[in-house]
């Protein structure tokens, strides 16, 4: 999972983000690039176009919904299966060719399926989530969507990077399930 939240777990405002933090999108891009990104339909609408360089998988209950450059699924389970299939295809392509197609296969990390929000989809994905890339912004914003499925006590900190920009403090956490 990858999300950014404020000190009250706020993540959204009126269909968009409550803040603009220069550099935060670049960090999001660096973590997710080359990996399948799974998102709720409202999060897709808030972005408005497919994220380049990543398979975009959108979950909606509306079987009629479509958008150019994205794969559409009617359940989270089907979307995760679609993301796994993507990695299977990458692996079989690289078996048949000397050309490397995916950065993930060159790391010692297992391939990651990235759930990128919003709150609705995260609620359902939380039980199967093993790692969270969580940006914590040390400020209280106004908004209307919260990362309410997240509990600090369920997670241990693998790494953290503290940042400060114009007096605003924010931290990039990597969290894994507490034992
Ligand atoms: N701060 C962050 O890191 C971050 C990240 C992502 C999003 N956001 C913000 O969060 C807000 C959007 O989040 P949200 O919670 O309102 O919506 P969301 O989770 O992005 O999308 C909800 C929609 O996804 C579909 N959906 C969700 N679960 C499903 C399931 N199990 N099976 C089938 N379809 C399912 C449904 O689409 P249909 O209605 O089409 O059926 C549902 O209405 C925006 O403000 C966005 O900017 C913030």
């Amino acid at each position: 999972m990858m999300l950014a939240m404020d000190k009250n777990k706020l993540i959204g405002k009126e269909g968009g983000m409550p803040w603009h933090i220069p550099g935060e999108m670049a960090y999001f891009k660096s973590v997710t690039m080359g990996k399948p990104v799974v998102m709720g339909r409202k999060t897709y609408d808030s972005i408005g176009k497919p994220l380049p360089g990543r398979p975009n998988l959108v979950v909606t209950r509306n079987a009629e919904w479509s958008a150019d450059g994205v794969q559409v699924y009617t359940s989270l389970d089907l979307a995760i299966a679609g993301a796994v299939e993507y990695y299977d295809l990458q692996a079989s392509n690289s078996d048949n060719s000397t050309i490397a197609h995916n950065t993930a296969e060159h790391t010692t990390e297992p391939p990651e399926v990235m759930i990128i929000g919003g709150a609705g989809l995260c609620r359902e994905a939380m039980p199967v989530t093993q790692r969270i890339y969580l940006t914590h912004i040390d400020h209280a914003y106004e908004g209307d969507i919260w990362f309410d499925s997240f509990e600090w006590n369920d997670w241990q900190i693998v790494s953290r990077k503290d940042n400060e920009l114009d007096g605003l403090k924010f931290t990039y956490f990597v969290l894994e399930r507490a034992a």
Side-chain angles (χ1 to χ4, degrees):
M1 214 174 255
M2 182 159 197
L3 274 102
M5 70 177 194
D6 82 351
K7 62 198 297 183
N8 298 317
K9 301 189 196 174
L10 185 79
I11 65 163
K13 181 185 180 185
E14 295 168 358
M17 300 286 275
W19 49 76
H20 171 69
I21 299 177
E24 214 265 322
M25 279 311 292
Y27 173 62
F28 174 84
K29 188 175 169 185
S30 74
V31 174
T32 57
M33 190 49 73
K35 302 171 189 172
V37 287
V38 179
M39 68 199 92
R41 192 264 311 159
K42 291 180 185 173
T43 292
Y44 177 78
D45 282 348
S46 77
I47 301 169
K49 59 180 171 37
L51 294 166
R54 291 145 278 192
N56 285 236
L57 294 82
V58 177
V59 181
T60 171
R61 292 188 181 85
N62 179 359
E64 315 270 287
W65 190 90
S66 71
D68 284 347
V70 308
Q71 298 160 43
V72 186
Y73 296 89
T74 52
S75 77
L76 175 66
D77 286 350
L78 287 172
I80 291 175
V84 170
E85 198 176 313
Y86 163 78
Y87 279 121
D88 288 346
L89 268 173
Q90 293 291 309
S92 68
N93 283 345
S94 71
D95 283 350
N96 297 329
S97 146
T98 52
I99 301 167
H101 293 277
N102 190 320
T103 51
E105 71 195 69
H106 298 296
T107 73
T108 54
E109 293 279 316
E112 290 180 321
V113 176
M114 305 297 294
I115 310 284
I116 61 163
L121 198 64
C122 287
R123 230 170 274 137
E124 189 172 341
M126 189 54 83
V128 296
T129 299
Q130 292 158 311
R131 180 180 294 170
I132 304 179
Y133 297 88
L134 181 65
T135 299
H136 178 267
I137 304 160
D138 190 19
H139 187 80
Y141 292 87
E142 291 191 358
D144 46 29
I145 298 282
W146 290 266
F147 190 18
D148 50 14
S149 58
F150 175 77
E151 294 294 341
W152 278 107
N153 286 345
D154 296 339
W155 300 90
Q156 58 191 354
I157 298 169
V158 173
S159 68
R160 64 180 289 165
K161 182 173 183 297
D162 295 316
N163 308 280
E164 187 165 351
L165 195 66
D166 297 333
L168 180 68
K169 291 182 176 162
F170 57 103
T171 302
Y172 297 147
F173 286 103
V174 179
L175 307 171
E176 289 185 354
R177 276 208 178 275

